[in-house]
Amino acid sequence: MKLTIKTISGILLVIIGFGVIAGLAFPALTDPKNAGRSEDRRIVDFPFLKEESAELVLVYFGYVGCTRVCTPALNELADIYREMETKEFKRIPSVWFVNMTPEMDPLSVQSWAEHFDKRFKSYAPSQNELNEMVQTLNLVYTNMGVEAEHMPYAYLIRKQAQGYELVYIYTSSPYNRSLILEDIGVLQ
């Protein structure tokens, strides 16, 4: 089969076209620096934020005792927290662990969060509160089986005059640590 210049040019144009489309549809493929982060600006009104005074808050939703998803994610958040201290950030965000098993003993939830870092805060929501948070953030989880399935997302929330605003959702596992640190530094 003889390939002409016209055929080769056509094939190259198709390949370039697919590359451009993929780059527009999936910006993380063309900009790996932002891989693992989704920008999502909206006001969130969660009960545990009512008493919060920090300007920035990192929130993680999980389960007490979850070893497959929560333990690695919370260990990473603890490492990121310590790195912010080492780099002498002006304001270090509060880190909240929100338990997705409703009506659980708050002391058990706090003990689990403090296992990763003594300064981590926790919240044990009621079923109604959890339902509201799930709907607000479109959380995906199931509590069927021995260990519940859920996404290891972390949510960066910033205090505004009208309340707290969701800014970024970190979706990669492991987290893009440098991106999280950069985002927190910029938002300071």
Side-chain angles (χ1 to χ4, degrees):
M1 179 165 115
K2 187 176 172 186
L3 292 178
T4 66
I5 292 179
K6 189 175 180 181
T7 305
I8 293 172
S9 297
I11 292 170
L12 286 174
L13 282 173
V14 169
I15 291 170
I16 290 169
F18 279 125
V20 169
I21 290 169
L24 293 172
F26 305 103
L29 297 175
T30 57
D31 187 7
K33 178 185 168 287
N34 292 319
R37 177 186 72 191
S38 171
E39 187 171 344
D40 188 348
R41 307 265 175 160
R42 60 184 135 146
I43 299 299
V44 293
D45 183 28
F46 300 141
F48 63 91
L49 292 173
K50 302 234 186 291
E51 303 290 323
E52 183 57 62
S53 60
E55 289 188 32
L56 293 174
V57 178
L58 267 170
V59 182
Y60 180 83
F61 292 85
Y63 296 91
V64 169
C66 168
T67 57
R68 193 178 61 74
V69 178
C70 295
T71 297
L74 289 166
N75 276 326
E76 278 188 86
L77 291 175
D79 289 344
I80 290 168
Y81 192 90
R82 287 187 285 278
E83 192 168 340
M84 285 185 277
E85 287 181 320
T86 303
K87 292 183 175 186
E88 298 180 358
F89 276 50
K90 291 176 192 168
R91 290 180 218 98
I92 296 176
S94 291
V95 177
W96 281 86
F97 170 76
V98 178
N99 189 52
M100 295 179 77
T101 305
E103 315 296 342
M104 185 171 235
D105 173 37
L107 292 176
S108 297
V109 178
Q110 184 63 37
S111 177
W112 175 253
E114 288 177 351
H115 170 77
F116 300 96
D117 191 289
K118 295 287 184 211
R119 296 158 295 189
F120 281 11
K121 299 175 181 182
S122 67
Y123 189 66
S126 69
Q127 183 65 59
N128 288 339
E129 291 170 332
L130 180 61
N131 290 344
E132 184 179 323
M133 288 184 261
V134 166
Q135 184 175 356
T136 300
L137 296 175
N138 300 316
L139 297 173
V140 177
Y141 78 101
T142 177
N143 55 5
M144 296 168 56
V146 175
E147 201 168 284
E149 293 297 323
H150 61 98
M151 304 307 290
Y153 295 172
Y155 299 81
L156 183 59
I157 298 171
R158 174 178 53 186
K159 193 172 204 167
Q160 298 288 2
Q162 67 273 31
Y164 277 91
E165 174 191 39
L166 173 62
V167 181
Y168 296 119
I169 304 171
Y170 300 101
T171 59
S172 64
S173 181
Y175 296 122
N176 184 337
R177 178 185 302 227
S178 60
L179 183 60
I180 294 173
L181 290 167
E182 181 181 320
D183 288 344
I184 291 169
V186 168
L187 292 172
Q188 299 241 339

